[in-house]
Amino acid sequence: MFDSVRSNWGRLLDATRGRPRPDEERKRSTGAARGAGARRAHNLFEAAAAHVSACVEDDQDAIEEAAGWVSPEALSFGVNELACRAVIALARERDESPRAVARTLLGLPPG
């Protein structure tokens, strides 16, 4: 778990400093990122969905793969958006307020 935090923190620092990661430099120099057989890029919502589902399944490899699809900032935004949509959907399903659902999910007392 701490390896994931350390890795993501390093990506965030490199992104804010404008430095590419070593594995990204290799892709750029070899042309592996773009080519005839290259797949389309993942969007931030695909990355967020893959990241969250991998976290639920405790699949470290899938977590790291999804984290590499987009920038850390984009992944954070996507995870936040996914959480908001999930709380809204559960609130509608349960006929409760989003605040009550969020507090219940986090194990907090009703407030």
mmCIF file of all heavy atoms in Angstrom, residues 11-62:
data_model
loop_
_atom_site.group_PDB
_atom_site.id
_atom_site.type_symbol
_atom_site.label_atom_id
_atom_site.label_comp_id
_atom_site.label_asym_id
_atom_site.label_seq_id
_atom_site.Cartn_x
_atom_site.Cartn_y
_atom_site.Cartn_z
ATOM 1 N N ARG A 11 4.833 10.593 -8.897
ATOM 2 C CA ARG A 11 4.219 11.037 -10.154
ATOM 3 C C ARG A 11 3.707 12.458 -10.036
ATOM 4 O O ARG A 11 3.854 13.257 -10.949
ATOM 5 C CB ARG A 11 3.072 10.113 -10.543
ATOM 6 C CG ARG A 11 3.507 8.816 -11.135
ATOM 7 C CD ARG A 11 2.309 8.085 -11.740
ATOM 8 N NE ARG A 11 2.712 6.767 -12.115
ATOM 9 C CZ ARG A 11 2.201 5.652 -11.619
ATOM 10 N NH1 ARG A 11 1.234 5.711 -10.743
ATOM 11 N NH2 ARG A 11 2.637 4.484 -12.007
ATOM 12 N N LEU A 12 3.076 12.760 -8.902
ATOM 13 C CA LEU A 12 2.548 14.099 -8.682
ATOM 14 C C LEU A 12 3.679 15.117 -8.678
ATOM 15 O O LEU A 12 3.589 16.167 -9.328
ATOM 16 C CB LEU A 12 1.767 14.168 -7.370
ATOM 17 C CG LEU A 12 1.251 15.549 -6.970
ATOM 18 C CD1 LEU A 12 0.240 16.043 -7.983
ATOM 19 C CD2 LEU A 12 0.638 15.505 -5.591
ATOM 20 N N LEU A 13 4.759 14.831 -7.961
ATOM 21 C CA LEU A 13 5.887 15.761 -7.922
ATOM 22 C C LEU A 13 6.501 15.947 -9.297
ATOM 23 O O LEU A 13 6.817 17.071 -9.698
ATOM 24 C CB LEU A 13 6.944 15.271 -6.925
ATOM 25 C CG LEU A 13 6.564 15.358 -5.454
ATOM 26 C CD1 LEU A 13 7.674 14.771 -4.600
ATOM 27 C CD2 LEU A 13 6.270 16.778 -5.044
ATOM 28 N N ASP A 14 6.688 14.854 -10.026
ATOM 29 C CA ASP A 14 7.250 14.958 -11.375
ATOM 30 C C ASP A 14 6.335 15.747 -12.305
ATOM 31 O O ASP A 14 6.804 16.532 -13.127
ATOM 32 C CB ASP A 14 7.535 13.579 -11.950
ATOM 33 C CG ASP A 14 8.722 12.908 -11.293
ATOM 34 O OD1 ASP A 14 9.543 13.608 -10.656
ATOM 35 O OD2 ASP A 14 8.836 11.680 -11.434
ATOM 36 N N ALA A 15 5.032 15.549 -12.170
ATOM 37 C CA ALA A 15 4.085 16.265 -13.025
ATOM 38 C C ALA A 15 4.120 17.757 -12.735
ATOM 39 O O ALA A 15 4.067 18.584 -13.653
ATOM 40 C CB ALA A 15 2.671 15.725 -12.835
ATOM 41 N N THR A 16 4.214 18.123 -11.452
ATOM 42 C CA THR A 16 4.233 19.547 -11.111
ATOM 43 C C THR A 16 5.546 20.192 -11.517
ATOM 44 O O THR A 16 5.588 21.386 -11.790
ATOM 45 C CB THR A 16 3.995 19.776 -9.602
ATOM 46 O OG1 THR A 16 4.977 19.086 -8.868
ATOM 47 C CG2 THR A 16 2.615 19.321 -9.194
ATOM 48 N N ARG A 17 6.609 19.412 -11.581
ATOM 49 C CA ARG A 17 7.910 19.946 -11.995
ATOM 50 C C ARG A 17 8.097 19.876 -13.510
ATOM 51 O O ARG A 17 9.093 20.363 -14.032
ATOM 52 C CB ARG A 17 9.026 19.161 -11.315
ATOM 53 C CG ARG A 17 9.048 19.352 -9.830
ATOM 54 C CD ARG A 17 10.119 18.506 -9.204
ATOM 55 N NE ARG A 17 10.077 18.624 -7.761
ATOM 56 C CZ ARG A 17 10.395 17.651 -6.934
ATOM 57 N NH1 ARG A 17 10.801 16.488 -7.400
ATOM 58 N NH2 ARG A 17 10.333 17.834 -5.641
ATOM 59 N N GLY A 18 7.155 19.251 -14.198
ATOM 60 C CA GLY A 18 7.238 19.149 -15.654
ATOM 61 C C GLY A 18 8.213 18.107 -16.133
ATOM 62 O O GLY A 18 8.654 18.144 -17.272
ATOM 63 N N ARG A 19 8.586 17.169 -15.274
ATOM 64 C CA ARG A 19 9.512 16.106 -15.663
ATOM 65 C C ARG A 19 8.755 14.849 -16.024
ATOM 66 O O ARG A 19 7.872 14.437 -15.288
ATOM 67 C CB ARG A 19 10.448 15.761 -14.503
ATOM 68 C CG ARG A 19 11.556 16.734 -14.324
ATOM 69 C CD ARG A 19 12.541 16.161 -13.347
ATOM 70 N NE ARG A 19 12.274 16.771 -12.062
ATOM 71 C CZ ARG A 19 12.701 16.291 -10.912
ATOM 72 N NH1 ARG A 19 13.364 15.178 -10.859
ATOM 73 N NH2 ARG A 19 12.434 16.915 -9.796
ATOM 74 N N PRO A 20 9.095 14.217 -17.145
ATOM 75 C CA PRO A 20 8.460 12.928 -17.451
ATOM 76 C C PRO A 20 9.053 11.832 -16.581
ATOM 77 O O PRO A 20 10.192 11.923 -16.117
ATOM 78 C CB PRO A 20 8.797 12.694 -18.924
ATOM 79 C CG PRO A 20 10.034 13.495 -19.153
ATOM 80 C CD PRO A 20 9.979 14.668 -18.195
ATOM 81 N N ARG A 21 8.259 10.806 -16.321
ATOM 82 C CA ARG A 21 8.734 9.646 -15.569
ATOM 83 C C ARG A 21 9.697 8.865 -16.458
ATOM 84 O O ARG A 21 9.607 8.910 -17.682
ATOM 85 C CB ARG A 21 7.557 8.749 -15.170
ATOM 86 C CG ARG A 21 6.502 9.413 -14.315
ATOM 87 C CD ARG A 21 6.984 9.684 -12.941
ATOM 88 N NE ARG A 21 7.161 8.412 -12.253
ATOM 89 C CZ ARG A 21 7.585 8.308 -11.023
ATOM 90 N NH1 ARG A 21 7.878 9.374 -10.346
ATOM 91 N NH2 ARG A 21 7.726 7.142 -10.452
ATOM 92 N N PRO A 22 10.637 8.108 -15.884
ATOM 93 C CA PRO A 22 11.587 7.330 -16.696
ATOM 94 C C PRO A 22 10.908 6.386 -17.674
ATOM 95 O O PRO A 22 11.339 6.260 -18.807
ATOM 96 C CB PRO A 22 12.395 6.553 -15.657
ATOM 97 C CG PRO A 22 12.293 7.359 -14.410
ATOM 98 C CD PRO A 22 10.923 8.016 -14.473
ATOM 99 N N ASP A 23 9.820 5.734 -17.255
ATOM 100 C CA ASP A 23 9.132 4.815 -18.171
ATOM 101 C C ASP A 23 8.450 5.581 -19.296
ATOM 102 O O ASP A 23 8.331 5.084 -20.407
ATOM 103 C CB ASP A 23 8.133 3.939 -17.430
ATOM 104 C CG ASP A 23 7.131 4.729 -16.605
ATOM 105 O OD1 ASP A 23 7.428 5.874 -16.236
ATOM 106 O OD2 ASP A 23 6.050 4.188 -16.322
ATOM 107 N N GLU A 24 8.035 6.830 -19.058
ATOM 108 C CA GLU A 24 7.430 7.638 -20.115
ATOM 109 C C GLU A 24 8.485 8.098 -21.115
ATOM 110 O O GLU A 24 8.220 8.184 -22.306
ATOM 111 C CB GLU A 24 6.716 8.850 -19.514
ATOM 112 C CG GLU A 24 5.513 8.499 -18.696
ATOM 113 C CD GLU A 24 4.935 9.680 -17.940
ATOM 114 O OE1 GLU A 24 5.523 10.764 -17.951
ATOM 115 O OE2 GLU A 24 3.873 9.485 -17.327
ATOM 116 N N GLU A 25 9.703 8.369 -20.637
ATOM 117 C CA GLU A 25 10.787 8.761 -21.533
ATOM 118 C C GLU A 25 11.113 7.633 -22.499
ATOM 119 O O GLU A 25 11.331 7.867 -23.687
ATOM 120 C CB GLU A 25 12.033 9.121 -20.730
ATOM 121 C CG GLU A 25 11.945 10.460 -20.031
ATOM 122 C CD GLU A 25 13.192 10.752 -19.208
ATOM 123 O OE1 GLU A 25 14.166 9.974 -19.290
ATOM 124 O OE2 GLU A 25 13.178 11.755 -18.489
ATOM 125 N N ARG A 26 11.140 6.400 -21.991
ATOM 126 C CA ARG A 26 11.413 5.248 -22.859
ATOM 127 C C ARG A 26 10.345 5.121 -23.934
ATOM 128 O O ARG A 26 10.646 4.870 -25.089
ATOM 129 C CB ARG A 26 11.476 3.964 -22.032
ATOM 130 C CG ARG A 26 12.849 3.596 -21.581
ATOM 131 C CD ARG A 26 12.907 2.161 -21.091
ATOM 132 N NE ARG A 26 11.927 1.855 -20.071
ATOM 133 C CZ ARG A 26 12.056 2.118 -18.789
ATOM 134 N NH1 ARG A 26 13.126 2.730 -18.353
ATOM 135 N NH2 ARG A 26 11.122 1.785 -17.925
ATOM 136 N N LYS A 27 9.083 5.303 -23.546
ATOM 137 C CA LYS A 27 8.000 5.188 -24.521
ATOM 138 C C LYS A 27 8.136 6.249 -25.595
ATOM 139 O O LYS A 27 7.929 5.988 -26.773
ATOM 140 C CB LYS A 27 6.638 5.333 -23.833
ATOM 141 C CG LYS A 27 6.222 4.136 -23.036
ATOM 142 C CD LYS A 27 4.885 4.384 -22.399
ATOM 143 C CE LYS A 27 4.462 3.253 -21.496
ATOM 144 N NZ LYS A 27 3.222 3.551 -20.792
ATOM 145 N N ARG A 28 8.484 7.454 -25.192
ATOM 146 C CA ARG A 28 8.617 8.547 -26.162
ATOM 147 C C ARG A 28 9.786 8.309 -27.093
ATOM 148 O O ARG A 28 9.705 8.571 -28.283
ATOM 149 C CB ARG A 28 8.799 9.876 -25.428
ATOM 150 C CG ARG A 28 7.539 10.352 -24.792
ATOM 151 C CD ARG A 28 7.727 11.715 -24.182
ATOM 152 N NE ARG A 28 6.520 12.069 -23.459
ATOM 153 C CZ ARG A 28 6.505 12.694 -22.301
ATOM 154 N NH1 ARG A 28 7.620 13.070 -21.744
ATOM 155 N NH2 ARG A 28 5.371 12.967 -21.718
ATOM 156 N N SER A 29 10.919 7.849 -26.544
ATOM 157 C CA SER A 29 12.106 7.686 -27.368
ATOM 158 C C SER A 29 11.981 6.503 -28.320
ATOM 159 O O SER A 29 12.544 6.533 -29.410
ATOM 160 C CB SER A 29 13.348 7.524 -26.490
ATOM 161 O OG SER A 29 13.262 6.329 -25.745
ATOM 162 N N THR A 30 11.252 5.470 -27.933
ATOM 163 C CA THR A 30 11.111 4.304 -28.805
ATOM 164 C C THR A 30 9.895 4.408 -29.710
ATOM 165 O O THR A 30 9.713 3.595 -30.593
ATOM 166 C CB THR A 30 11.000 3.011 -27.978
ATOM 167 O OG1 THR A 30 9.842 3.094 -27.160
ATOM 168 C CG2 THR A 30 12.230 2.777 -27.142
ATOM 169 N N GLY A 31 9.047 5.383 -29.448
ATOM 170 C CA GLY A 31 7.841 5.524 -30.242
ATOM 171 C C GLY A 31 6.780 4.520 -29.870
ATOM 172 O O GLY A 31 5.821 4.316 -30.604
ATOM 173 N N ALA A 32 6.924 3.883 -28.714
ATOM 174 C CA ALA A 32 5.967 2.861 -28.306
ATOM 175 C C ALA A 32 4.620 3.467 -27.941
ATOM 176 O O ALA A 32 3.597 2.804 -28.012
ATOM 177 C CB ALA A 32 6.514 2.077 -27.120
ATOM 178 N N ALA A 33 4.624 4.729 -27.534
ATOM 179 C CA ALA A 33 3.363 5.357 -27.136
ATOM 180 C C ALA A 33 2.469 5.597 -28.348
ATOM 181 O O ALA A 33 1.251 5.572 -28.246
ATOM 182 C CB ALA A 33 3.633 6.668 -26.420
ATOM 183 N N ARG A 34 3.082 5.849 -29.503
ATOM 184 C CA ARG A 34 2.305 6.084 -30.713
ATOM 185 C C ARG A 34 2.856 5.173 -31.813
ATOM 186 O O ARG A 34 4.039 5.078 -32.020
ATOM 187 C CB ARG A 34 2.436 7.529 -31.170
ATOM 188 C CG ARG A 34 1.988 8.497 -30.137
ATOM 189 C CD ARG A 34 1.672 9.825 -30.783
ATOM 190 N NE ARG A 34 1.560 10.893 -29.828
ATOM 191 C CZ ARG A 34 0.520 11.126 -29.076
ATOM 192 N NH1 ARG A 34 -0.505 10.354 -29.128
ATOM 193 N NH2 ARG A 34 0.494 12.143 -28.247
ATOM 194 N N GLY A 35 1.984 4.562 -32.509
ATOM 195 C CA GLY A 35 2.426 3.684 -33.581
ATOM 196 C C GLY A 35 1.231 3.052 -34.245
ATOM 197 O O GLY A 35 0.091 3.284 -33.861
ATOM 198 N N ALA A 36 1.503 2.246 -35.227
ATOM 199 C CA ALA A 36 0.417 1.628 -35.977
ATOM 200 C C ALA A 36 -0.418 0.717 -35.087
ATOM 201 O O ALA A 36 -1.628 0.648 -35.221
ATOM 202 C CB ALA A 36 0.990 0.836 -37.154
ATOM 203 N N GLY A 37 0.225 0.038 -34.130
ATOM 204 C CA GLY A 37 -0.492 -0.892 -33.281
ATOM 205 C C GLY A 37 -0.902 -0.302 -31.941
ATOM 206 O O GLY A 37 -1.375 -1.018 -31.079
ATOM 207 N N ALA A 38 -0.704 1.008 -31.756
ATOM 208 C CA ALA A 38 -1.018 1.618 -30.457
ATOM 209 C C ALA A 38 -2.522 1.692 -30.256
ATOM 210 O O ALA A 38 -3.281 1.975 -31.170
ATOM 211 C CB ALA A 38 -0.412 3.008 -30.376
ATOM 212 N N ARG A 39 -2.927 1.423 -29.018
ATOM 213 C CA ARG A 39 -4.346 1.512 -28.682
ATOM 214 C C ARG A 39 -4.682 2.953 -28.360
ATOM 215 O O ARG A 39 -3.818 3.753 -28.059
ATOM 216 C CB ARG A 39 -4.634 0.612 -27.486
ATOM 217 C CG ARG A 39 -4.440 -0.839 -27.825
ATOM 218 C CD ARG A 39 -4.564 -1.762 -26.669
ATOM 219 N NE ARG A 39 -5.394 -1.255 -25.591
ATOM 220 C CZ ARG A 39 -5.745 -1.961 -24.552
ATOM 221 N NH1 ARG A 39 -5.347 -3.198 -24.453
ATOM 222 N NH2 ARG A 39 -6.489 -1.460 -23.592
ATOM 223 N N ARG A 40 -5.971 3.266 -28.371
ATOM 224 C CA ARG A 40 -6.390 4.625 -28.054
ATOM 225 C C ARG A 40 -6.118 4.933 -26.597
ATOM 226 O O ARG A 40 -6.029 4.040 -25.764
ATOM 227 C CB ARG A 40 -7.869 4.813 -28.367
ATOM 228 C CG ARG A 40 -8.798 4.034 -27.461
ATOM 229 C CD ARG A 40 -10.247 4.398 -27.746
ATOM 230 N NE ARG A 40 -11.128 3.714 -26.839
ATOM 231 C CZ ARG A 40 -11.384 4.090 -25.599
ATOM 232 N NH1 ARG A 40 -10.830 5.160 -25.113
ATOM 233 N NH2 ARG A 40 -12.206 3.406 -24.832
ATOM 234 N N ALA A 41 -5.994 6.202 -26.303
ATOM 235 C CA ALA A 41 -5.718 6.619 -24.928
ATOM 236 C C ALA A 41 -6.971 6.458 -24.065
ATOM 237 O O ALA A 41 -8.093 6.580 -24.550
ATOM 238 C CB ALA A 41 -5.275 8.073 -24.923
ATOM 239 N N HIS A 42 -6.758 6.174 -22.807
ATOM 240 C CA HIS A 42 -7.862 6.052 -21.863
ATOM 241 C C HIS A 42 -8.247 7.442 -21.382
ATOM 242 O O HIS A 42 -7.399 8.305 -21.215
ATOM 243 C CB HIS A 42 -7.441 5.201 -20.665
ATOM 244 C CG HIS A 42 -7.078 3.804 -21.033
ATOM 245 N ND1 HIS A 42 -8.023 2.817 -21.199
ATOM 246 C CD2 HIS A 42 -5.888 3.228 -21.282
ATOM 247 C CE1 HIS A 42 -7.419 1.696 -21.527
ATOM 248 N NE2 HIS A 42 -6.123 1.915 -21.587
ATOM 249 N N ASN A 43 -9.535 7.640 -21.132
ATOM 250 C CA ASN A 43 -9.924 8.923 -20.571
ATOM 251 C C ASN A 43 -9.933 8.836 -19.056
ATOM 252 O O ASN A 43 -9.791 7.766 -18.468
ATOM 253 C CB ASN A 43 -11.256 9.418 -21.149
ATOM 254 C CG ASN A 43 -12.456 8.622 -20.692
ATOM 255 O OD1 ASN A 43 -12.520 8.142 -19.571
ATOM 256 N ND2 ASN A 43 -13.424 8.489 -21.579
ATOM 257 N N LEU A 44 -10.106 9.975 -18.398
ATOM 258 C CA LEU A 44 -9.971 10.005 -16.938
ATOM 259 C C LEU A 44 -11.060 9.216 -16.237
ATOM 260 O O LEU A 44 -10.832 8.664 -15.162
ATOM 261 C CB LEU A 44 -9.918 11.445 -16.423
ATOM 262 C CG LEU A 44 -11.155 12.301 -16.596
ATOM 263 C CD1 LEU A 44 -11.901 12.410 -15.286
ATOM 264 C CD2 LEU A 44 -10.718 13.686 -17.027
ATOM 265 N N PHE A 45 -12.249 9.093 -16.836
ATOM 266 C CA PHE A 45 -13.311 8.331 -16.194
ATOM 267 C C PHE A 45 -13.047 6.833 -16.288
ATOM 268 O O PHE A 45 -13.338 6.086 -15.352
ATOM 269 C CB PHE A 45 -14.670 8.690 -16.785
ATOM 270 C CG PHE A 45 -15.025 10.137 -16.542
ATOM 271 C CD1 PHE A 45 -15.172 11.014 -17.594
ATOM 272 C CD2 PHE A 45 -15.180 10.623 -15.253
ATOM 273 C CE1 PHE A 45 -15.479 12.345 -17.368
ATOM 274 C CE2 PHE A 45 -15.485 11.949 -15.010
ATOM 275 C CZ PHE A 45 -15.637 12.816 -16.071
ATOM 276 N N GLU A 46 -12.479 6.379 -17.401
ATOM 277 C CA GLU A 46 -12.081 4.976 -17.503
ATOM 278 C C GLU A 46 -10.987 4.660 -16.483
ATOM 279 O O GLU A 46 -11.015 3.618 -15.828
ATOM 280 C CB GLU A 46 -11.560 4.669 -18.905
ATOM 281 C CG GLU A 46 -12.632 4.661 -19.975
ATOM 282 C CD GLU A 46 -12.051 4.525 -21.370
ATOM 283 O OE1 GLU A 46 -10.956 5.046 -21.641
ATOM 284 O OE2 GLU A 46 -12.715 3.869 -22.186
ATOM 285 N N ALA A 47 -10.047 5.569 -16.359
ATOM 286 C CA ALA A 47 -8.967 5.375 -15.395
ATOM 287 C C ALA A 47 -9.508 5.340 -13.975
ATOM 288 O O ALA A 47 -9.095 4.491 -13.170
ATOM 289 C CB ALA A 47 -7.924 6.485 -15.541
ATOM 290 N N ALA A 48 -10.431 6.247 -13.656
ATOM 291 C CA ALA A 48 -11.004 6.289 -12.306
ATOM 292 C C ALA A 48 -11.781 5.010 -12.001
ATOM 293 O O ALA A 48 -11.643 4.435 -10.919
ATOM 294 C CB ALA A 48 -11.907 7.507 -12.156
ATOM 295 N N ALA A 49 -12.585 4.553 -12.951
ATOM 296 C CA ALA A 49 -13.367 3.335 -12.744
ATOM 297 C C ALA A 49 -12.449 2.128 -12.552
ATOM 298 O O ALA A 49 -12.667 1.303 -11.652
ATOM 299 C CB ALA A 49 -14.309 3.105 -13.922
ATOM 300 N N ALA A 50 -11.414 2.038 -13.376
ATOM 301 C CA ALA A 50 -10.475 0.921 -13.248
ATOM 302 C C ALA A 50 -9.713 1.006 -11.926
ATOM 303 O O ALA A 50 -9.502 -0.013 -11.257
ATOM 304 C CB ALA A 50 -9.496 0.931 -14.422
ATOM 305 N N HIS A 51 -9.312 2.210 -11.537
ATOM 306 C CA HIS A 51 -8.555 2.397 -10.299
ATOM 307 C C HIS A 51 -9.393 2.025 -9.078
ATOM 308 O O HIS A 51 -8.935 1.287 -8.201
ATOM 309 C CB HIS A 51 -8.086 3.848 -10.208
ATOM 310 C CG HIS A 51 -7.175 4.113 -9.059
ATOM 311 N ND1 HIS A 51 -7.622 4.500 -7.834
ATOM 312 C CD2 HIS A 51 -5.824 4.025 -8.962
ATOM 313 C CE1 HIS A 51 -6.594 4.648 -7.019
ATOM 314 N NE2 HIS A 51 -5.493 4.367 -7.678
ATOM 315 N N VAL A 52 -10.620 2.515 -9.009
ATOM 316 C CA VAL A 52 -11.475 2.241 -7.863
ATOM 317 C C VAL A 52 -11.822 0.749 -7.785
ATOM 318 O O VAL A 52 -11.757 0.149 -6.711
ATOM 319 C CB VAL A 52 -12.746 3.115 -7.897
ATOM 320 C CG1 VAL A 52 -13.763 2.662 -6.867
ATOM 321 C CG2 VAL A 52 -12.379 4.574 -7.679
ATOM 322 N N SER A 53 -12.167 0.150 -8.912
ATOM 323 C CA SER A 53 -12.509 -1.270 -8.876
ATOM 324 C C SER A 53 -11.287 -2.114 -8.499
ATOM 325 O O SER A 53 -11.414 -3.107 -7.779
ATOM 326 C CB SER A 53 -13.107 -1.733 -10.204
ATOM 327 O OG SER A 53 -12.193 -1.542 -11.258
ATOM 328 N N ALA A 54 -10.096 -1.706 -8.944
ATOM 329 C CA ALA A 54 -8.880 -2.428 -8.563
ATOM 330 C C ALA A 54 -8.596 -2.266 -7.069
ATOM 331 O O ALA A 54 -8.135 -3.204 -6.419
ATOM 332 C CB ALA A 54 -7.697 -1.928 -9.388
ATOM 333 N N CYS A 55 -8.883 -1.080 -6.527
ATOM 334 C CA CYS A 55 -8.704 -0.871 -5.079
ATOM 335 C C CYS A 55 -9.644 -1.771 -4.288
ATOM 336 O O CYS A 55 -9.251 -2.355 -3.277
ATOM 337 C CB CYS A 55 -8.961 0.592 -4.715
ATOM 338 S SG CYS A 55 -7.643 1.703 -5.220
ATOM 339 N N VAL A 56 -10.887 -1.894 -4.754
ATOM 340 C CA VAL A 56 -11.857 -2.749 -4.075
ATOM 341 C C VAL A 56 -11.392 -4.198 -4.100
ATOM 342 O O VAL A 56 -11.527 -4.925 -3.112
ATOM 343 C CB VAL A 56 -13.253 -2.601 -4.727
ATOM 344 C CG1 VAL A 56 -14.210 -3.659 -4.222
ATOM 345 C CG2 VAL A 56 -13.808 -1.210 -4.475
ATOM 346 N N GLU A 57 -10.819 -4.611 -5.215
ATOM 347 C CA GLU A 57 -10.342 -5.986 -5.367
ATOM 348 C C GLU A 57 -8.933 -6.183 -4.819
ATOM 349 O O GLU A 57 -8.400 -7.286 -4.856
ATOM 350 C CB GLU A 57 -10.387 -6.383 -6.842
ATOM 351 C CG GLU A 57 -11.792 -6.400 -7.409
ATOM 352 C CD GLU A 57 -11.829 -6.503 -8.919
ATOM 353 O OE1 GLU A 57 -10.753 -6.436 -9.561
ATOM 354 O OE2 GLU A 57 -12.935 -6.639 -9.460
ATOM 355 N N ASP A 58 -8.305 -5.113 -4.343
ATOM 356 C CA ASP A 58 -6.951 -5.137 -3.800
ATOM 357 C C ASP A 58 -5.960 -5.704 -4.819
ATOM 358 O O ASP A 58 -5.110 -6.526 -4.496
ATOM 359 C CB ASP A 58 -6.903 -5.921 -2.491
ATOM 360 C CG ASP A 58 -5.645 -5.621 -1.689
ATOM 361 O OD1 ASP A 58 -5.098 -4.502 -1.835
ATOM 362 O OD2 ASP A 58 -5.195 -6.497 -0.934
ATOM 363 N N ASP A 59 -6.090 -5.242 -6.063
ATOM 364 C CA ASP A 59 -5.237 -5.686 -7.165
ATOM 365 C C ASP A 59 -4.199 -4.596 -7.449
ATOM 366 O O ASP A 59 -4.459 -3.654 -8.192
ATOM 367 C CB ASP A 59 -6.099 -5.966 -8.402
ATOM 368 C CG ASP A 59 -5.300 -6.493 -9.567
ATOM 369 O OD1 ASP A 59 -4.055 -6.506 -9.514
ATOM 370 O OD2 ASP A 59 -5.933 -6.903 -10.560
ATOM 371 N N GLN A 60 -3.021 -4.710 -6.846
ATOM 372 C CA GLN A 60 -1.992 -3.674 -6.938
ATOM 373 C C GLN A 60 -1.527 -3.435 -8.369
ATOM 374 O O GLN A 60 -1.285 -2.298 -8.767
ATOM 375 C CB GLN A 60 -0.802 -4.035 -6.043
ATOM 376 C CG GLN A 60 0.192 -2.914 -5.872
ATOM 377 C CD GLN A 60 -0.403 -1.689 -5.208
ATOM 378 O OE1 GLN A 60 -1.211 -1.795 -4.303
ATOM 379 N NE2 GLN A 60 -0.014 -0.525 -5.659
ATOM 380 N N ASP A 61 -1.407 -4.487 -9.153
ATOM 381 C CA ASP A 61 -0.972 -4.324 -10.541
ATOM 382 C C ASP A 61 -1.972 -3.489 -11.339
ATOM 383 O O ASP A 61 -1.587 -2.601 -12.101
ATOM 384 C CB ASP A 61 -0.779 -5.684 -11.214
ATOM 385 C CG ASP A 61 0.397 -6.458 -10.621
ATOM 386 O OD1 ASP A 61 1.311 -5.803 -10.072
ATOM 387 O OD2 ASP A 61 0.382 -7.696 -10.704
ATOM 388 N N ALA A 62 -3.257 -3.776 -11.161
ATOM 389 C CA ALA A 62 -4.291 -3.024 -11.876
ATOM 390 C C ALA A 62 -4.360 -1.582 -11.377
ATOM 391 O O ALA A 62 -4.620 -0.662 -12.163
ATOM 392 C CB ALA A 62 -5.648 -3.704 -11.717
#
